[in-house]
Amino acid sequence: MISIFIIFAIFILFNINKLTTSLCLQKEIPEEKQPKVFRTINVLITILLITSYIEILFT
């Protein structure tokens, strides 16, 4: 169960990072601010994935 969820989480994070890259290009976010945008989005998605795993684990 955990291995399937880890593969799923890596797939989700990879796709979210691709979408974030296109967002930065489309909105013309300066190079200096891009790492902050990526860090914020990755932390929020990681929190979402962890809480989803905990919810699946306890139901």
Side-chain angles (χ1 to χ4, degrees):
M1 172 74 175
I2 193 168
S3 60
I4 294 171
F5 196 82
I6 289 173
I7 292 169
F8 174 73
I10 291 170
F11 176 75
I12 293 294
L13 282 171
F14 179 73
N15 283 329
I16 292 296
N17 280 331
K18 284 189 350 185
L19 290 172
T20 305
T21 302
S22 63
L23 171 75
C24 289
L25 292 175
Q26 183 180 13
K27 296 296 181 180
E28 298 176 358
I29 297 174
E31 291 285 328
E32 309 84 50
K33 294 189 178 190
Q34 286 184 13
K36 186 177 179 182
V37 171
F38 274 92
R39 190 176 321 116
T40 303
I41 291 175
N42 283 334
V43 166
L44 292 173
I45 294 298
T46 303
I47 291 170
L48 180 67
L49 288 168
I50 290 170
T51 55
S52 298
Y53 179 72
I54 291 172
E55 183 177 344
I56 290 170
L57 192 64
F58 292 116
T59 57

